[in-house]
Amino acid sequence: RVLSLELNTDRDVERIHETGINTLDIEPVEGRYMLSGGSDGVIVLYDLENLSRKPSYTCKALCSVGRSHPDVHRFSVETVQWYPHDTGMFTSSSFDKTLKIWDTNTLQPAEVFRFEGTIYSHHMSPVATKHCLIAVGTKSPKVQLCDLKSGSCSHILQGHRQEILAVSWSPRHEYILATASADSRVKLWDVRRASGCLTTLDQHNGEKSKASSEAANTAHNGRVNGLCYTNDGLHLLTIGTDDRMRLWNSSTGENTLVNYGKVYNESRKGLKFTISCGCNPEFAFVPYGGTIAVYTIFTGELITMLRGHYSTVNCCVFQCNFQELYSGSKDCNILAWIPALQEPLPDNVSEKNLPQQHLNPAYEDAWSSSDNEG
């Protein structure tokens, strides 16, 4: 299904944003509701379900925090994320130096955290059961941890030298956090340890650092502005402004040396890319100028380029249940990329003889309540 992704002409996402779209997130509970955040501070919530049951439909915006909303972000929204365990809450962070915790039902902020610098990225752990920490990357070299339970932002991780452009919790270990910085470094932390960083990823796997201590332990030769764990948490993908993408073994910190070729990356801020789930092999979907590049993660092969946006693509998000992709761009559009499931007909079969089928069989409800089907 992923190999046959194409721009779907039958599905539109209602166009609400009047400026570029920076961030998208689909809630993990049902995979039905999607959030978007724009350069004008607006946040929109969409229902991806096809309620009309027609082959052609538009994903409707259910509600939005628009410019006239009293609590709207004053500047660009850089990250939106659903609360991982239910859809009653979501989070947003912005260049206006605030991280807001929203009540989905009332569209009111339940909590607002304020910072000294612009916020590039924030993330809540998808697997944590013992903590409610939100990791926040700002213009400060210190990584901030906000505690949802206490409402305080007391915990700080020190070790980077420049601003933090991306943060991501491990989907495998709830206390492990990865951070990427403009100082060319990627660090892994165990947030229970006071002594700080577990490891700093080294692109040369320790071989060059003996010669030059300054170049030691850099993950990229430029700003590192993208981070994404594989779904099993065993590997970590990083992207830097050196036009490189690297795959790391997240337990040993070793550079696996997979070569993806040149991965074009001009972003001055965090780059929101994503990894497929439920596929073998796994794929990475990376904004690449006005297109989205699709790579196989473990071989580095560039499979295809998804073309359809009119301007720079800023973010993409994967919908696991149906293996679909949504992307947001500076052109104010959100596009849906859906697997093309039309099988080519053999030459000797005429289309008229085939049964008419309006609904893609992948979406039909095949559930049966009869006991003898077990």
Side-chain angles (χ1 to χ4, degrees):
R1 288 174 66 87
V2 171
L3 292 174
S4 63
L5 279 177
E6 60 176 36
L7 186 58
N8 191 305
T9 50
D10 293 329
R11 184 180 316 182
D12 283 324
V13 179
E14 191 176 347
R15 184 169 165 160
I16 303 288
H17 288 281
E18 293 172 12
T19 58
I21 292 154
N22 296 325
T23 171
L24 294 169
D25 192 41
I26 295 174
E27 45 86 15
V29 181
E30 289 179 83
R32 174 174 171 180
Y33 299 104
M34 181 170 74
L35 290 166
S36 65
S39 300
D40 54 358
V42 170
I43 299 168
V44 184
L45 195 164
Y46 307 88
D47 187 349
L48 302 179
E49 184 114 348
N50 180 4
L51 297 172
S52 71
R53 292 275 173 251
K54 293 176 184 159
S56 279
Y57 69 100
T58 299
C59 300
K60 289 288 183 202
L62 295 180
C63 55
S64 67
V65 180
R67 293 305 312 157
S68 57
H69 191 288
D71 298 298
V72 67
H73 281 291
R74 293 203 317 281
F75 303 128
S76 170
V77 174
E78 291 300 305
T79 313
V80 288
Q81 189 192 1
W82 287 101
Y83 180 62
H85 308 296
D86 69 62
T87 52
M89 189 162 86
F90 65 89
T91 54
S92 63
S93 60
S94 159
F95 276 0
D96 67 8
K97 307 178 186 178
T98 64
L99 163 69
K100 296 187 177 184
I101 318 300
W102 298 86
D103 179 323
T104 313
N105 299 313
T106 63
L107 276 196
Q108 301 296 321
E111 187 84 60
V112 179
F113 294 96
R114 291 184 168 79
F115 298 87
E116 287 174 13
T118 49
I119 304 174
Y120 291 103
S121 171
H122 78 268
H123 193 229
M124 279 179 285
S125 167
V127 294
T129 54
K130 299 185 182 72
H131 72 75
C132 284
L133 296 173
I134 305 178
V136 185
T138 70
K139 226 175 173 63
S140 152
K142 298 170 183 169
V143 184
Q144 319 252 0
L145 298 178
C146 299
D147 191 342
L148 269 185
K149 281 203 180 98
S150 66
S152 75
C153 209
S154 51
H155 211 91
I156 285 172
L157 306 174
Q158 301 201 40
H160 281 295
R161 299 174 189 178
Q162 292 182 46
E163 61 224 64
I164 313 293
L165 298 173
V167 295
S168 180
W169 292 96
S170 161
R172 193 176 187 88
H173 304 289
E174 65 176 288
Y175 292 106
I176 303 296
L177 174 71
T179 58
S181 165
D183 66 7
S184 306
R185 288 173 172 81
V186 173
K187 290 180 180 286
L188 300 179
W189 316 78
D190 181 332
V191 298
R192 295 167 299 185
R193 286 172 42 149
S195 57
C197 160
L198 283 176
T199 182
T200 302
L201 300 184
D202 176 15
Q203 59 182 309
H204 306 296
N205 286 333
E207 303 207 350
K208 261 199 175 165
S209 47
K210 301 178 188 80
S212 138
S213 59
E214 188 43 47
N217 290 13
T218 56
H220 288 266
N221 301 325
R223 300 154 63 87
V224 193
N225 58 353
L227 273 183
C228 196
Y229 273 98
T230 54
N231 292 287
D232 57 13
L234 295 176
H235 291 87
L236 178 68
L237 262 183
T238 63
I239 288 186
T241 54
D242 55 359
D243 293 339
R244 287 282 175 263
M245 181 156 75
R246 296 209 161 91
L247 180 71
W248 310 82
N249 179 316
S250 59
S251 52
T252 64
E254 190 179 7
N255 180 359
T256 62
L257 303 176
V258 175
N259 182 6
Y260 300 94
K262 181 179 175 177
V263 182
Y264 172 81
N265 173 7
E266 284 201 318
S267 175
R268 299 296 304 151
K269 47 189 192 178
L271 190 74
K272 310 279 197 278
F273 70 105
T274 190
I275 290 178
S276 67
C277 55
C279 309
N280 190 11
E282 286 194 273
F283 301 93
F285 303 96
V286 183
Y288 195 107
T291 63
I292 300 155
V294 184
Y295 296 92
T296 48
I297 288 179
F298 294 107
T299 63
E301 190 184 348
L302 175 59
I303 298 293
T304 185
M305 302 287 266
L306 301 177
R307 303 175 195 279
H309 282 290
Y310 302 116
S311 186
T312 310
V313 180
N314 291 326
C315 54
C316 47
V317 63
F318 193 71
Q319 209 282 17
C320 302
N321 305 2
F322 297 133
Q323 271 87 45
E324 298 169 352
L325 186 76
Y326 291 84
S327 58
S329 158
K330 234 183 204 160
D331 64 12
C332 313
N333 289 323
I334 298 173
L335 297 184
W337 309 85
I338 314 293
L341 289 182
Q342 276 79 30
E343 290 295 319
L345 293 175
D347 293 340
N348 57 353
V349 178
S350 124
E351 214 157 3
K352 291 179 190 140
N353 306 341
L354 290 174
Q356 291 297 305
Q357 198 162 19
H358 295 299
L359 194 64
N360 181 327
Y363 304 122
E364 281 186 358
D365 192 353
W367 185 79
S368 164
S369 60
S370 65
D371 294 336
N372 55 10
E373 285 199 9

